[in-house]
Amino acid sequence: MFSIRSINFPGNFSEAISRVRTNVAYFRVNYAIIVFLILFLSLLWHPISLIVFIVMMATWLFLYFLRDEP
């Protein structure tokens, strides 16, 4: 099922960049989940940051939806 010979180093820098771009495109959702999980956990460990985040989000939503002029 898995062969160690299927893994090899890129021949040059442009091939390495191409592999990174392909990897990022393919696993984009997984990377986003990991980033949001780390952000959520860091906010839990720092309750003041969580409170500030909630206040800022509430302020933004209030100003975004309840303004009269564009």
Side-chain angles (χ1 to χ4, degrees):
M1 181 172 200
F2 178 74
S3 172
I4 195 71
R5 293 183 182 175
S6 65
I7 299 175
N8 56 4
F9 288 104
N12 54 21
F13 186 70
S14 64
E15 185 180 350
I17 295 298
S18 173
R19 287 185 184 188
V20 168
R21 286 184 181 161
T22 302
N23 187 329
V24 168
Y26 190 76
F27 295 109
R28 183 180 309 158
V29 174
N30 294 351
Y31 295 144
I33 289 171
I34 290 169
V35 167
F36 285 128
L37 182 65
I38 291 170
L39 177 67
F40 175 73
L41 291 176
S42 69
L43 287 174
L44 283 180
W45 269 289
H46 301 285
I48 299 298
S49 298
L50 183 61
I51 294 168
V52 169
F53 179 74
I54 291 171
V55 168
M56 293 295 289
M57 188 61 134
T59 304
W60 180 80
L61 287 172
F62 176 76
L63 292 174
Y64 185 75
F65 287 117
L66 297 178
R67 63 183 180 181
D68 292 334
E69 300 175 6

